[in-house]
């Protein structure tokens, strides 16, 4: 059992890892860093920042390497989101541990680390910190339960939840536990001394096994609530659907946005269009005559959905144009895509340059 004691995470600093290339999310990350990929029309990283702010964590270091300018342009100094953001840029990707080492000058007490551009959870960070402090841990790894751990980093613990072993992607028959690394950690600054400077070094394969080897206290905090790694287009699709179907909630999204049909500003909807909730439509969209939209569905800014189009379970990003009489079912459509008339597309990820199956 996790030990619960009232502790407040307010004031704790957080390092968010946003430097991965997001290979598994391709083609959605062909031209966009993963942290800017929209979830209900807002970058995933903005959801992560809102989650931290919900727990009073506002000092955030963004550890970046891939397409950093796009992230910096969107978030600036963080004031708009009520955060204080510091950017730590790697010339070459330094890996998950190397990136934290690169932020060392800003870290002087227990700090949180998050895989900020793919993991979404509603875990209580006050409870996580309370557990870390009660165990006097040097590193605490949040663990989440999955039915099939074979695609993940499995973490074995003893009866006191002290970590015994890490096993990367074990075959199902060999996995001794279903608790996996949830991509959320609390670390003490002294562990940074075990990370080589300026080298590519990973948490799971480098730092954590090293801490076990030298006898440091590493604990696993178990959590069975909502957790999702939106690392693939399928998982990304599921995540948006889960939010619209209220299976989980982001502190960034007001209740009315996921409760029925929600239109933003300047929407032009033909009176004959039929829209079945839950549907979220962003600014400046034009929805034509006899269009049918069946939720859960999300439509980004400035889209044109022409006459007689039928959409069901779709995630459409910004400035998409869908030609008359086309039908889309279970599709993700990225920015600036034009779909011709009379198309019938299912289970696909559609970008301006290619269409691939959604079940990648
Ligand atoms: P894939 O390429 O699809 O595996 O995704 P990824 O590497 O972007 O993400 P992965 O889940 O493997 O990485 C976990 C977290 O660490 C994510 O939040 C990544 O953005 C981040 N990350 C991975 N490598 C680096 C790195 O070299 N530097 C920094 N700053 N972050 C990294």
């Amino acid at each position: 059992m996790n030990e619960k004691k009232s502790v407040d995470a307010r004031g704790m600093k957080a390092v968010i890892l946003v430097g991965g290339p997001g290979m598994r999310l391709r083609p959605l990350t062909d031209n966009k860093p993963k942290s800017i990929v929209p979830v209900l029309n807002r970058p995933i990283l903005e959801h992560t920042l809102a989650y931290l702010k919900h727990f009073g964590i506002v000092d955030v270091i963004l550890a970046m390497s891939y397409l950093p300018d796009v992230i910096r342009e969107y978030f600036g100094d963080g004031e708009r989101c009520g955060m204080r953001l510091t950017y730590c840029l790697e010339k070459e990707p330094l890996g998950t541990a190397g990136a934290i080492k690169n932020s060392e000058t800003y870290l002087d007490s227990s700090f949180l680390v998050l895989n900020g551009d793919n993991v979404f959870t509603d875990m209580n960070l006050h409870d996580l910190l309370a557990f870390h402090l009660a165990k006097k841990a040097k590193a605490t790894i949040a663990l989440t339960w999955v039915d099939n751990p074979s695609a993940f980093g499995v973490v074995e613990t003893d009866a006191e939840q002290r970590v015994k072993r890490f096993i990367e992607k074990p075959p199902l028959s060999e996995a001794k536990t279903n608790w996996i690394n949830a991509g959320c950690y609390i670390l003490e600054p002294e562990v940074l001394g075990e990370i080589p400077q300026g080298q590519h070094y990973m948490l799971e394969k480098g730092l954590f096994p090293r801490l076990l080897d030298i006898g440091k206290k590493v604990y696993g905090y178990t959590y069975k609530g909502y957790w999702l790694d939106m690392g693939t287009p399928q998982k990304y699709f599921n995540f948006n659907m889960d939010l619209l179907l209220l299976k989980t909630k982001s502190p960034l999204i007001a209740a009315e946005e996921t409760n029925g049909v929600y239109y933003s500003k300047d929407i032009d909807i033909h009176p004959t269009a039929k829209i079945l909730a839950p549907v979220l439509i962003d600014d400046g969209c034009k929805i034509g005559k006899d269009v049918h939209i069946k939720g859960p569905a999300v439509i980004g800014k400035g889209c044109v959905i022409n006459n007689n189009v039928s959409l069901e379970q779709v995630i459409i990003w910004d400035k998409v144009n869908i030609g008359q009489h086309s039908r889309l079912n279970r599709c993700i459509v990225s920015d600036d895509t034009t779909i011709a008339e009379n198309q019938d597309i299912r289970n696909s990820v559609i970008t301006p340059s290619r269409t691939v199956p959604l079940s990648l």
Side-chain angles (χ1 to χ4, degrees):
M1 289 287 289
N2 293 319
E3 287 174 27
K4 276 199 179 177
K5 205 172 85 182
S6 179
V7 167
D8 203 322
R10 266 179 291 189
M12 187 164 57
K13 285 184 183 164
V15 178
I16 308 187
L17 299 169
V18 292
M23 297 300 282
R24 290 168 299 148
L25 252 189
R26 290 207 164 154
L28 295 172
T29 43
D30 279 350
N31 303 308
K32 242 187 219 300
K34 199 161 49 168
S35 26
I36 298 291
V37 164
V39 169
L40 300 198
N41 291 331
R42 316 277 278 275
I44 174 67
L45 180 57
E46 204 173 340
H47 291 271
T48 306
L49 293 175
Y51 166 68
L52 293 181
K53 196 172 159 209
H54 178 73
F55 291 101
I57 299 174
V58 296
D59 273 309
V60 171
I61 295 134
L62 292 177
M64 316 194 286
S65 68
Y66 179 68
L67 299 177
D69 294 343
V70 188
I71 302 173
R72 217 191 282 254
E73 252 167 53
Y74 186 91
F75 290 99
D77 62 5
E79 199 184 344
R80 192 172 45 86
C81 313
M83 311 292 285
R84 282 186 293 272
L85 300 182
T86 303
Y87 295 90
C88 273
L89 185 61
E90 297 143 52
K91 287 194 196 89
E92 296 292 329
L94 289 173
T96 44
I100 302 169
K101 180 78 175 174
N102 196 42
S103 319
E104 189 168 14
T105 44
Y106 302 102
L107 303 168
D108 47 13
S109 54
S110 314
F111 61 94
L112 185 78
V113 177
L114 272 182
N115 290 1
D117 55 11
N118 55 351
V119 159
F120 185 88
T121 180
D122 53 14
M123 183 187 307
N124 186 315
L125 294 176
H126 301 311
D127 292 348
L128 175 65
L129 179 62
F131 173 90
H132 175 81
L133 296 176
K135 295 291 188 188
K136 299 189 170 54
K138 297 302 172 198
T140 294
I141 304 169
L143 307 178
T144 186
W145 177 273
V146 290
D147 290 334
N148 179 359
S150 58
F152 297 98
V154 170
V155 184
E156 283 179 21
T157 56
D158 66 14
E160 301 302 312
Q161 288 178 240
R162 189 160 174 175
V163 174
K164 292 195 299 187
R165 205 155 73 111
F166 299 93
I167 313 156
E168 245 341 92
K169 303 189 174 77
L172 196 49
S173 55
E174 286 173 31
K176 292 213 171 70
T177 168
N178 291 52
W179 289 107
I180 61 152
N181 178 348
C184 176
Y185 322 94
I186 293 183
L187 303 180
E188 291 302 310
E190 69 177 75
V191 306
L192 298 172
E194 302 302 326
I195 305 175
Q197 186 85 45
Q199 278 179 38
H200 191 276
Y201 199 63
M202 298 297 279
L203 288 170
E204 314 81 329
K205 292 187 191 137
L207 179 66
F208 293 145
R210 164 88 189 139
L211 293 177
L212 295 192
D213 285 349
I214 59 174
K216 296 281 181 193
K217 284 182 166 180
V218 180
Y219 278 86
Y221 171 84
T222 51
Y223 181 69
K224 272 203 167 177
Y226 190 89
W227 180 87
L228 178 131
D229 166 12
M230 66 155 220
T232 63
Q234 181 69 55
K235 295 266 180 63
Y236 165 74
F237 182 85
N238 294 345
F239 180 33
N240 282 265
M241 297 297 132
D242 285 354
L243 284 165
L244 284 171
L245 293 170
L246 306 177
K247 290 186 185 167
T248 188
K249 188 170 167 9
S250 164
L252 186 63
I253 302 291
E256 64 268 25
E257 292 185 58
T258 47
N259 185 15
V261 179
Y262 182 80
Y263 312 121
S264 222
K265 292 175 288 188
D266 308 320
I267 311 281
D268 177 2
I269 300 184
H270 195 279
T272 58
K274 286 198 180 67
I275 302 179
L276 287 177
V279 175
L280 187 59
I281 305 176
D282 211 336
D283 298 351
C285 289
K286 188 169 186 302
I287 314 279
K289 188 165 161 274
D290 292 322
V291 164
H292 278 223
I293 304 175
K294 185 161 185 258
V298 189
I299 301 179
K301 285 191 177 54
C303 292
V304 179
I305 315 295
N306 287 293
N307 296 348
N308 299 97
V309 162
S310 163
L311 304 174
E312 185 169 344
Q313 290 195 56
V314 291
I315 300 166
I316 293 175
W317 293 7
D318 294 347
K319 296 187 203 139
V320 167
N321 188 310
I322 304 183
Q324 295 190 37
H325 295 279
S326 281
R327 304 167 66 85
L328 267 61
N329 191 323
R330 287 180 61 83
C331 288
I332 305 169
V333 188
S334 78
D335 294 341
D336 302 304
T337 301
T338 295
I339 295 175
E341 296 178 3
N342 297 306
Q343 303 298 303
D344 192 345
I345 311 176
R346 287 158 191 268
N347 298 314
S348 297
V349 181
I350 308 160
T351 76
S353 56
R354 52 187 173 139
T355 297
V356 300
L358 177 57
S359 52
L360 283 175

